Amino acid sequence: MSEVTLEKIASLCKRRGIIFPNSEIYGGIGGFYDYGPVGVEMKNNYKKYWWKYMVDKRENVVGIDGTIITHPKVWEASGHVKGFADEAMECKKCHARFRPEDIDGKCPKCGSSDFTEARKYNILFNTEIGVIEGEKMPAYLRGEACQTIYLDFKNVVDSTRQQIPFGIAQIGKAFRNEITPNKFTFRTREFEQWDLQYFVKPEDMQKSFEYWKEERMKFYKGLFRNQESLRFHQHPKEKLVFYAKDAYDIEYLAPWGWAEAEGIHWRGDYDLTQHSTFSGKDLSYTDPMTGEKYIPNIVETSGGVDRTFLFLLLDAYDEEQLDNGDVRTVLRIHKDIAAYRAAVFPLVSNKEEIVKKAREVFGMLSDDYKVLWDSRGNIGKRYRYQDEIGTPYCITVDYDTLENGTVTVRDRDTMKQERVKIEDLSEAIA
Ligand code: GAP
């Protein structure tokens, strides 16, 4: 009906417990967000969906869960201590800072066109290990989650039955002291990444790179409604880091234009070589069949969980004009990502038998699904709430239920209602 905007999504997220600004009672803190009661369920489902697609359904991908703080040398080896920089320009009039690509001539805040030169700032987050002055060891919060995968590479090879080619997957937090966190959860200072590092023989790089590029696009296309809002963007050759032969972003058409969702990166042997050099430990791989020894090459797929979840919300958001003139806001989110598979309502809350029957239905369904109970207000308001958070089905126990053992099941997308026998409910919402 009308355009979806970031403001509409942020407002829905706040209103319905999907995402809250962090530390709001203290005036907020730029670049940090919390997931609310609905959002945490969605985000967990979203991560589970990725894990199933990337790990559970593959015979040669295993997962790890690494720490946020590592030995500080890791970040010297990775190049982050020297080169993890972000560029910003300052408006000379109002002193607001912006990334050069976010300015199209004038200051977005005050309209001035007088800026300082772009300056680089290191965005690694610093911390310290230990409590005694003079003995504290400077450390960093990880700037990218993937580094722990390289640190555990040898342990995984030694402790599992995997042989190259195989992948190590991880979902975990990363921290970047972004100069200009912006666009809600698009650019934040604390966020989660889902990474796959796929280890291959050097001569198999091209084939694996192509494979993962297609697989990752397939993943997003399986979740997003607007397929034309997803595309590949190849990094220009002159902008590639020296060890990369190729890199693609999967981009989403956000309200402000095409924006990066995930990167598919040709990392070659760079990471394992760097960590071998800096640690003095040999991270090469010996083929158990042929005895051939080499440093594996890596194809990386690395996406932002929070960022792509924001894109998913933008993609799912709909406003629909109803026959009675009302506007219905509905989140047409993939059923496996929705916070609840169904909501269960007693038609009225003052009729004991109906409430009791509804509780039975809730109890039965909650064995297999995440379901939500609501007995507050009128049915119309309850539907409106569930539509806004994208609950695929609303189940109402009414007077007829007591007579014939059926309930109404209302479909989120069509708003059609059907009567279903209680014993068939689980299958009906499967
Ligand atoms: N290990 C590779 C790596 O970290 P990246 O392109 O810097 O590559 C991967 O990050 C993904 O992480 C991005 O595609 C984006 O989705 C997400 N991401 C990066 N910085 C972010 C930030 N400040 N806020 C939210 N998500 C971010």
Side-chain angles (χ1 to χ4, degrees):
M1 203 186 91
S2 53
E3 291 269 301
V4 49
T5 61
L6 209 50
E7 290 69 32
K8 283 183 184 175
I9 295 296
S11 156
L12 172 75
C13 283
K14 174 89 197 295
R15 196 165 72 238
R16 296 300 182 222
I18 302 172
I19 300 170
F20 303 131
N22 175 271
S23 305
E24 216 180 1
I25 59 168
Y26 287 98
I29 173 167
F32 296 91
Y33 288 90
D34 295 340
Y35 286 77
V38 172
V40 68
E41 302 294 343
M42 289 177 166
K43 196 181 181 195
N44 282 343
N45 289 341
Y46 192 40
K47 290 191 282 185
K48 257 189 251 159
Y49 192 92
W50 183 90
W51 198 268
K52 184 161 188 185
Y53 186 89
M54 296 297 283
V55 185
D56 297 350
K57 287 182 82 76
R58 297 173 196 274
E59 48 188 72
N60 68 342
V61 177
V62 293
I64 62 157
D65 183 18
T67 61
I68 282 162
I69 296 174
T70 58
H71 196 291
K73 266 199 156 177
V74 169
W75 304 98
E76 288 171 33
S78 69
H80 284 73
V81 170
K82 264 207 186 128
F84 197 38
D86 202 9
E87 258 189 324
M89 296 165 77
E90 190 175 315
C91 167
K92 284 190 182 165
K93 193 165 164 218
C94 72
H95 302 291
R97 291 200 183 99
F98 303 95
R99 297 162 77 87
E101 70 263 28
D102 288 341
I103 301 171
D104 54 7
K106 290 199 157 67
C107 171
K109 228 175 173 181
C110 74
S112 159
S113 44
D114 202 6
F115 291 96
T116 61
E117 290 289 301
R119 234 192 92 187
K120 288 203 164 181
Y121 300 83
N122 192 299
I123 58 171
L124 259 185
F125 259 101
N126 298 82
T127 185
E128 285 176 329
I129 303 169
V131 290
I132 298 165
E133 281 311 325
E135 291 180 16
K136 290 183 186 174
M137 173 158 85
Y140 309 97
L141 308 188
R142 63 183 178 193
E144 56 175 5
C146 63
Q147 291 296 327
T148 21
I149 297 183
Y150 313 137
L151 302 180
D152 284 335
F153 168 73
K154 199 169 151 31
N155 282 329
V156 172
V157 170
D158 292 346
S159 62
T160 67
R161 309 289 300 157
Q162 294 299 333
Q163 296 175 53
I164 277 180
F166 77 94
I168 304 180
Q170 180 183 229
I171 301 178
K173 291 257 181 174
F175 298 81
R176 296 183 187 179
N177 215 341
E178 298 280 356
I179 313 159
T180 53
N182 59 17
K183 302 188 179 81
F184 196 36
T185 54
F186 175 75
R187 181 170 290 109
T188 58
R189 291 177 164 136
E190 173 174 343
F191 53 94
E192 274 185 294
Q193 291 184 314
W194 47 36
D195 286 335
L196 170 77
Q197 307 295 318
Y198 195 69
F199 301 89
V200 301
K201 279 180 101 159
E203 59 265 38
D204 291 338
M205 268 305 271
Q206 192 67 48
K207 193 176 72 191
S208 295
F209 187 82
E210 294 301 329
Y211 172 79
W212 284 108
K213 191 180 140 220
E214 296 310 321
E215 277 296 284
R216 292 307 299 148
M217 182 58 100
K218 217 159 82 189
F219 171 86
Y220 288 108
K221 290 213 161 161
L223 282 174
F224 281 65
R225 294 193 302 150
N226 302 299
Q227 306 273 296
E228 65 290 355
S229 297
L230 292 162
R231 73 169 190 195
F232 282 118
H233 165 73
Q234 188 176 19
H235 290 208
K237 292 279 177 223
E238 64 278 10
K239 288 210 165 163
L240 291 174
V241 283
F242 69 91
Y243 54 81
K245 235 173 96 181
D246 211 352
Y248 281 83
D249 289 339
I250 292 177
E251 291 187 330
Y252 175 74
L253 186 54
W256 62 90
W258 288 99
E260 176 187 339
E262 171 158 333
I264 293 97
H265 303 136
W266 183 299
R267 297 190 75 124
D269 66 359
Y270 177 74
D271 305 283
L272 293 180
T273 304
Q274 283 294 100
H275 286 301
S276 289
T277 308
F278 276 71
S279 68
K281 299 280 176 334
D282 181 11
L283 297 181
S284 58
Y285 172 84
T286 306
D287 188 314
M289 312 297 246
T290 63
E292 187 190 353
K293 194 174 163 186
Y294 57 92
I295 296 264
N297 275 220
I298 297 174
V299 177
E300 167 183 74
T301 73
S302 177
V305 182
D306 312 85
R307 180 182 287 190
T308 58
F309 179 63
L310 171 62
F311 292 159
L312 197 62
L313 294 178
L314 285 161
D315 175 76
Y317 186 92
D318 219 354
E319 287 173 352
E320 196 179 76
Q321 182 89 50
L322 301 177
D323 292 342
N324 65 4
D326 285 355
V327 173
R328 173 171 93 114
T329 300
V330 53
L331 203 60
R332 297 187 197 278
I333 199 160
H334 192 287
K335 286 175 187 171
D336 292 341
I337 312 298
Y340 309 99
R341 176 53 64 113
V344 179
F345 311 149
L347 178 68
V348 289
S349 49
N350 56 4
K351 178 107 177 130
E352 210 177 300
E353 291 145 282
I354 289 187
V355 175
K356 189 165 161 254
K357 198 55 159 179
R359 286 230 152 83
E360 271 174 41
V361 169
F362 180 89
M364 178 190 91
L365 292 178
S366 62
D367 284 339
D368 298 321
Y369 304 100
K370 182 88 191 168
V371 281
L372 183 72
W373 173 267
D374 190 2
S375 59
R376 195 176 118 180
N378 66 42
I379 287 282
K381 281 204 176 124
R382 296 183 206 165
Y383 282 156
R384 188 142 305 176
Y385 185 98
Q386 299 307 325
D387 284 347
E388 286 202 351
I389 65 169
T391 307
Y393 302 107
C394 290
I395 296 165
T396 307
V397 172
D398 55 18
Y399 292 95
D400 286 353
T401 314
L402 304 178
E403 301 293 318
N404 60 18
T406 66
V407 294
T408 64
V409 177
R410 173 191 179 266
D411 182 285
R412 172 193 76 194
D413 295 329
T414 62
M415 293 191 287
K416 289 223 170 80
Q417 296 187 28
E418 234 182 274
R419 288 206 81 89
V420 176
K421 280 194 191 144
I422 290 176
E423 60 263 34
D424 298 338
L425 255 185
S426 194
E427 212 184 302
I429 66 169

